[in-house]
Amino acid sequence: MKLIQLIKGLIPQNSIEEDLHDLVIKGIADSSQEVEEGFVFIAIKGYKDDGHNHIAHAIQKGASLIVGEQQLEELPIPYLRVENARMALGILSKNFYGNPASGKLMIGITGTNGKTTTSYLVKHLLEQNGITCSVMGTIQNIVNGESIKSANTTPSSLILQKLLAESHDEAVVMEVSSHGLTQHRIEGIEFDVCMFTNLHHEHLDYHGSMESYYEAKSILFEHLKPTGTAIINTDDEWGEKLDRELRAKGRDVWSIGQAQHSRFRIESFDMEYSTLCLAGEEKTLIQSPMAGIHNIYNSLMAYAAALAVGVKKDDILSSIKNFPGVEGRFETSKTGKGVIVIVDYAHTPDAVFHCLTTAKEAGANQITHIFGFRGDRDSSKRREMIEITSNISDRYIITTDDLNSVPAEEMQLHYIELNERYGNKKGLIQMDRTRAIKDAIDSSSEGDWVVITGKGHEKYSHQFELPTESDKETVKFMVEPPSAE
């Protein structure tokens, strides 16, 4: 591709020589390790490293052009200075891969909880009705039916545009994180449908306040096509705020909630059958394939999205019943002595509340909750999570999640302090996660539930006593012990 085509839409702060317009660009990289002969290297200042420090390495590896934010002189190759290198990466990636999103039905989902479940529900509904669909999100990226490991909920703009170019699917459903939005990872993409699930206490170590967190999430709706549809859960106070703001801008908003003005007005819930009834001249019953009020809302969001892209109502209602579920989201096992064991990704106060409440509503005799906190992450939510589990569960075990850079001994002392200050003497501390799960299952009886939250589909990042690599494997080890052969 010629340089003049690559930089279309980019507004550099310095000029580029006209005789460089025909410079042939063979690729793009935002890591100097990935640079090859004839590549453009975009120097991005990150949180742990600064790409500007690796410009010399990129040039050594054959870069033809450098793009960055700093004022640099006397580089041996052309240099374009931009105000925002992350945004520039999105524009260059979109141009290099030929704006691949423009030929697809694009659906973006944001919110604190429910993004993954809702995205898989939408994918299921579309594919059950003849629309091939890629998914990009927390668990994995699925493109052309092939699974690709996901490093972030929302990939970098370079990876994202590459995946979109490789996709032959008609539709793409994307989880869009607040980090991805503030870091311009969806730069250059317009969406046919944008969805907002909810907003709860999370990532305040990054955003600083709920208002800033909300502002980050609302960026998604700036990428909605003029003819696009916004689907908003207005039973969430932040969703109600977003609904008002979008309507004031004249956008097409499909609100879901219990208020009279909701487009999809919820008239009643039946928790026993995970069903909701929508009001209207003709009552509509939507049966969620998963238990819990939060999953009923996820199902309604997916129902509305499928309607918005043209799937018929009766076909949606028929298809939603055979949804197989999502890995690491309320996955249920049962031991030989009748103990129900749940593995769930819940790692926010609201998600933990709904997970434990669902177990209680399902008739659990006693609930043992196993969870932990991640080192170097938002510590402001920890008190609330301890208080929620101490109120709902019959006992809880605090254990190791990802320690990151925090020593295990330091985290254990923090757990002891949290437990003493905010627990109600139901809590134990067992730093070995597999041992915590084993002890909980061994000491439970028929009809009891063991709910393990925080990791879901994720692999362990630490070694524990049992020879397992995830909560799911640990539960399987307990439910189906390996033979003695």
Side-chain angles (χ1 to χ4, degrees), residues 1-43:
M1 172 178 281
K2 291 183 179 181
L3 179 59
I4 192 64
Q5 298 169 309
L6 181 71
I7 63 173
K8 183 180 179 182
L10 194 67
I11 305 175
Q13 295 181 323
N14 61 329
S15 59
I16 185 167
E17 299 292 337
E18 191 171 332
D19 59 359
L20 292 173
H21 287 183
D22 290 334
L23 180 67
V24 176
I25 302 300
K26 297 179 181 178
I28 301 174
D30 57 355
S31 165
S32 64
Q33 299 288 344
E34 304 295 326
V35 171
E36 297 179 20
E37 195 74 31
F39 271 43
V40 172
F41 173 62
I42 296 90

Side-chain angles (χ1 to χ4, degrees), residues 108 191-196 218 220-222 224-234 239 242-243 245-247 250-256 263-264 301 304-305 308:
F191 291 87
D192 299 274
V193 177
C194 289
M195 306 170 70
F196 179 90
S218 64
L220 173 62
F221 297 84
E222 297 173 10
L224 186 64
K225 291 178 180 177
T227 57
T229 301
I231 299 173
I232 311 291
N233 171 16
T234 52
L242 181 61
D243 175 81
E245 292 177 354
L246 292 175
R247 289 183 189 279
R251 304 314 305 262
D252 181 25
V253 181
W254 291 13
S255 56
I256 72 166
R263 180 178 181 122
F264 297 91
M301 293 287 290

Side-chain angles (χ1 to χ4, degrees), residues 379-443:
S379 60
S380 61
K381 65 181 181 180
R382 295 175 182 175
R383 172 181 175 175
E384 188 178 357
M385 288 177 69
I386 292 279
E387 291 175 340
I388 286 170
T389 190
S390 65
N391 286 331
I392 300 176
S393 61
D394 297 281
R395 61 174 178 163
Y396 60 87
I397 303 174
I398 311 177
T399 189
T400 300
D401 200 306
D402 291 346
L403 291 170
N404 297 321
S405 67
V406 179
E409 297 78 11
E410 182 181 326
M411 185 62 85
Q412 185 170 10
L413 289 173
H414 181 58
Y415 284 170
I416 292 169
E417 180 187 2
L418 285 170
N419 205 29
E420 288 178 350
R421 292 183 67 182
Y422 307 119
N424 56 5
K425 300 183 180 180
K426 294 179 182 178
L428 302 172
I429 296 169
Q430 168 55 261
M431 295 302 287
D432 187 301
R433 194 173 181 95
T434 61
R435 184 61 186 270
I437 294 170
K438 181 180 186 300
D439 290 350
I441 293 174
D442 284 344
S443 59

